[in-house]
Amino acid sequence: MTVAVRVIPCLDVDAGRVVKGVNFVDLRDAGDPVELAAAYDAAGADELTFLDVTASSDDRGTMLDVVRRTAETVFIPLTVGGGVRSPENVDVLLRAGADKVGVNTAAIARPALISEIAERFGNQVLVLSLDVRRCSSPGGPGRSSLSGPGQPSGWEVTTHGGRRSAGLDAIEWAARVAELGAGEILLNSMDADGTKAGFDLDLIRAVRAVVDIPVIASGGAGAVEHFAPAVEAGADAVLAASVFHFGDLTIGEVKDSLRAAGSPVR
């Protein structure tokens, strides 16, 4: 059976408001998360992703309230990420109404966390978020002023909104997290984020080649023409933020473009 391509709006939440920037800086207000979530549900979004962009373990109250209110309002799967450091954090978010939980920095610091979450709650609950930036590779020039010392694939894993290199090769890390039990990978190109210049198709292909779990393409969507190539490159789902928040594109237009390109959609 062919699985339908999912179209997923992403809501970056900071202090209870949705924000969006370019390359993770210059954030501007994009609205109330619960109102936006309800609008996306009505517009035909297949899932929603909330990322708490300024999460800290000592202040999760605002985000939990947002998750609860959203879960009461919408009926599509809700993924929540940001500040998840333990299976207990996952439990709290699931009880608040999340269907899946995104993990990033904590898994880099302690990869065993991936297995712990998968074993306790099931692989389907765990979305491993990968913030990837091009860097120097052996025999090739670097492409990023913030890149680390270089990685074999030419892509590195970053943390702190793309500002720090994790010292990991992104393609090797993708393969490892799949082996450890991640249910799917949210693959975010830091170079393309917010630029509206299109998804990083080479990155999608490289990750697709080493994992058999679903890959969600993120970063760079700016026109309906950008989505079908991401699916052709190997993405099982396409995620976007600013083009939806600010009315550049609708969920329906993206689904129409995918359908026209021969991709099954819901």
Side-chain angles (χ1 to χ4, degrees):
M1 185 182 73
T2 305
V3 178
V5 176
R6 290 168 287 152
V7 178
I8 308 174
C10 179
L11 290 78
D12 295 327
V13 181
D14 180 10
R17 298 290 291 179
V18 176
V19 295
K20 190 58 195 168
V22 177
N23 302 128
F24 274 46
V25 295
D26 297 328
L27 301 179
R28 59 177 172 147
D29 188 278
D32 176 74
V34 181
E35 290 177 8
L36 278 171
Y40 289 138
D41 187 11
D46 298 303
E47 296 183 11
L48 287 169
T49 294
F50 275 11
L51 298 179
D52 189 342
V53 296
T54 53
S56 61
S57 58
D58 58 356
D59 183 13
R60 298 200 56 86
T62 302
M63 193 61 180
L64 285 175
D65 177 60
V66 168
V67 172
R68 285 193 193 97
R69 289 189 292 126
T70 302
E72 291 167 359
T73 305
V74 306
F75 302 98
I76 52 178
L78 176 62
T79 299
V80 181
V84 176
R85 297 177 176 85
S86 69
E88 289 68 36
N89 293 156
V90 175
D91 188 53
V92 168
L93 286 168
L94 293 177
R95 289 176 186 277
D99 297 283
K100 305 178 193 177
V101 174
V103 179
N104 183 355
T105 306
I108 293 169
R110 196 172 68 83
L113 177 64
I114 299 170
S115 301
E116 291 168 7
I117 294 171
E119 288 167 10
R120 179 167 168 182
F121 303 102
N123 301 60
Q124 77 285 349
V125 160
L126 180 56
V127 179
L128 199 291
S129 186
L130 266 174
D131 291 340
V132 178
R133 189 185 296 281
R134 288 178 185 265
C135 64
S136 56
S137 60
R143 297 234 201 154
S144 169
S145 61
L146 300 176
S147 65
Q151 297 294 342
S153 70
W155 284 286
E156 65 180 348
V157 179
T158 69
T159 62
H160 299 80
R163 292 185 292 277
R164 295 188 197 173
S165 171
L168 293 170
D169 182 276
I171 309 307
E172 291 174 4
W173 178 238
R176 187 176 179 201
V177 302
E179 290 171 3
L180 286 170
E184 55 188 329
I185 289 174
L186 171 52
L187 182 61
N188 188 34
S189 167
M190 302 306 300
D191 301 294
D193 176 72
T195 64
K196 301 185 183 180
F199 294 95
D200 189 331
L201 304 181
D202 291 337
L203 175 60
I204 296 169
R205 291 188 194 101
V207 171
R208 176 79 284 158
V210 299
V211 304
D212 56 10
I213 59 175
V215 174
I216 304 166
S218 169
V224 289
E225 297 80 24
H226 291 155
F227 292 88
V231 174
E232 290 162 15
D236 301 273
V238 285
L239 179 146
S242 55
V243 289
F244 292 143
H245 301 339
F246 300 117
D248 301 339
L249 299 175
T250 67
I251 303 289
E253 287 169 345
V254 171
K255 289 194 171 187
D256 286 345
S257 72
L258 290 169
R259 203 175 282 114
S263 295
V265 294
R266 291 193 178 96

